Amino acid sequence: MIYSTDRILTTHAGALPRPPDLREMVLAKSRGEAVDPAALEKRLAAAVAEAVRRQVECGLDSVNDGELSKSNFTDYVRSRIAGYEARPADARRRLEITARDRTKFPDYFEATANPRARLQSTSATRPVCVENLRYVGQADLARDLANFKAALDGVKVAEAFLPANTPGTIEHWMTNEHYKSDEEFVFAIAEVMRAEYNAIVEAGFQLQIDDPDLPDGWNCLPEMTVPEYRKYAALRVEALNHALRDIPKEKIRLHVCWGSFHGPHHDDIPLKDIADIIFSVRAGSYSIEASNPCHEHEWRVFEEVKPPADATLVPGVIGHCTDFIEHPDLVAERLLRYAKLVGRERVLAGTDCGIGTRVGHPSICWAKFEAMAEGARRATKILWGRA
C-alpha cells in the first residue's frame, strides 16, 4: 500500500491495450480454437514486459500486467473455475448490465448493438454450476505471476498490482443449479477465488479486487428498490470479505464502477446510497469512478462520507467514456477536490475503469495516462507549494 507522501502518485484500474496479434490468439483460445501454446506464451511474456515499460514511460507509479492474458474482464474466470457445465448461450447473460437502461431506451440499444454499446462474451456458451465449484487456474495464474515478475525486473515502480474478479461479479454470468441458495452459491465462489487472491499477495503483489458488481448489480436488477439492493450488495460484500479474510487489508485495493459499457447510465445507483457498503470491504485503498458525466459530481459525497481511517482514495481523474484526452489542468482540479476532502497524502490519481479496451485506439490510452501524470504533477505543485 502506498501513500502520496510528497507528491500525488498515479495508477490505473486494469486493462491495457493488447497488441492485435496477441489479442487474436487470446480470443481464439477463449473460443476453444487451436492455438500454438508455445507461441502464445512467448508473445504474452513479451507483451507484458512492453506494457510495464509503457506504463512507466507514461509516468505511472503503480502498474500492472495490463490483464493481457485475459479474454475479457470476466470470462477469464471460466478457465480458472471448475464445477460448471457449458451450455448454448442465451441472447444475454444471466444478469444483463444494461437491463435498467434498456427499460427506458430500448430503441437506443437496438440501434447501437455492437461491442462498445453492450458487454458481450467471447464464448458461445454460458456456464451453469452443476456441482461443487473448485479452483483449477493454478497454471494460468502461475504464468501471469511469472510474466509480471519478469517484466518488473530492473524496473523502478512504487507499487505493482494484479486484478482479480469478485464473487458477485462472477455470479452475474454463472447460473446456479447446484447450491441451495444464492447465499450459499456466492460464498462458494468466494471460497474458490480465495486461492487466487492469496496467491497474488503471496507472490509479493498488491491485490486489486475488481468489483463492478457492487454498483452495477443495481443496473442488472431493475425491479429492486434501494433498500432491497443494499441488502443484496451487503451479502456479496460479506462473501468477498470472507474470501479476503487471510490477507492484510493494506495489501488490498478495491475497484468499483458502474460498468464500463458505453451507454446512457441514466439510472446508475447514486454513490451516496452505497458508499458505506463500498467502505465495508476489507481494503486499504478504494478506486472509484469520478470523472464521467454521470459521476463526476459525486465528489461532494466525500464532504459527508470518508474512507476508513488510513485508507487511500483513488478517484478516476481520466475516463474511458470518451476519446477526448483530458487536459492536465482539469486532472489537477479533480485531484485538488479530493485532496481537500480526505488529505493530499491519501489521494492517488486513477482511472474510472480499465481504459485500454474502451477507448478508440491504444494511442489514446497512453496519451490519457500522460495527461494524468502531468495533471498529478500540477496538483503536486499546488498542494506542496512547489515552484
Side-chain angles (χ1 to χ4, degrees), residues 208-224:
Q208 176 172 293
I209 292 294
D210 282 330
D211 197 2
D213 165 71
L214 207 164
D216 76 27
W218 167 261
N219 295 328
C220 298
L221 300 161
E223 74 284 355
M224 279 195 177

Side-chain angles (χ1 to χ4, degrees), residues 219-289:
N219 295 328
C220 298
L221 300 161
E223 74 284 355
M224 279 195 177
T225 64
V226 170
E228 289 170 338
Y229 184 70
R230 283 179 54 82
K231 183 177 180 180
Y232 171 96
L235 172 62
R236 280 138 189 89
V237 167
E238 184 181 350
L240 174 59
N241 283 338
H242 175 76
L244 298 173
R245 63 189 181 273
D246 297 329
I247 303 175
K249 66 178 183 179
E250 61 268 19
K251 299 294 293 182
I252 302 166
R253 178 168 80 185
L254 175 72
H255 172 69
V256 298
C257 67
W258 283 259
S260 62
F261 68 94
H262 289 204
H265 287 271
H266 186 258
D267 288 315
D268 286 0
I269 192 166
L271 176 62
K272 65 179 178 62
D273 289 340
I274 56 170
D276 60 323
I277 299 176
I278 290 173
F279 291 141
S280 71
V281 174
R282 287 189 65 258
S285 188
Y286 299 86
S287 165
I288 62 167
E289 281 193 76

Side-chain angles (χ1 to χ4, degrees), residues 64-109:
N64 77 337
D65 69 342
E67 301 188 90
L68 300 186
S69 69
K70 300 170 182 176
S71 57
N72 65 30
F73 179 70
T74 57
D75 281 1
Y76 84 95
V77 184
R78 289 177 182 235
S79 65
R80 301 193 180 188
I81 291 179
Y84 69 84
E85 182 179 281
R87 297 181 185 171
D90 297 330
R92 299 180 185 174
R93 294 179 181 232
R94 188 180 75 85
L95 293 177
E96 176 59 49
I97 195 174
T98 60
R100 200 172 285 265
D101 272 343
R102 283 176 182 274
T103 63
K104 287 188 176 180
F105 306 103
D107 293 343
Y108 164 82
F109 284 97

Side-chain angles (χ1 to χ4, degrees), residues 162-227:
L162 285 177
N165 261 187
T166 58
T169 304
I170 295 167
E171 182 196 18
H172 272 193
W173 47 258
M174 183 181 288
T175 303
N176 172 37
E177 291 186 0
H178 174 69
Y179 293 97
K180 295 178 181 178
S181 66
D182 288 348
E183 179 175 356
E184 185 178 342
F185 182 44
V186 76
F187 269 82
I189 300 172
E191 192 61 33
V192 168
M193 289 303 293
R194 178 175 166 236
E196 181 157 312
Y197 303 159
N198 288 347
I200 289 172
V201 174
E202 289 167 2
F205 302 123
Q206 292 292 119
L207 169 64
Q208 176 172 293
I209 292 294
D210 282 330
D211 197 2
D213 165 71
L214 207 164
D216 76 27
W218 167 261
N219 295 328
C220 298
L221 300 161
E223 74 284 355
M224 279 195 177
T225 64
V226 170

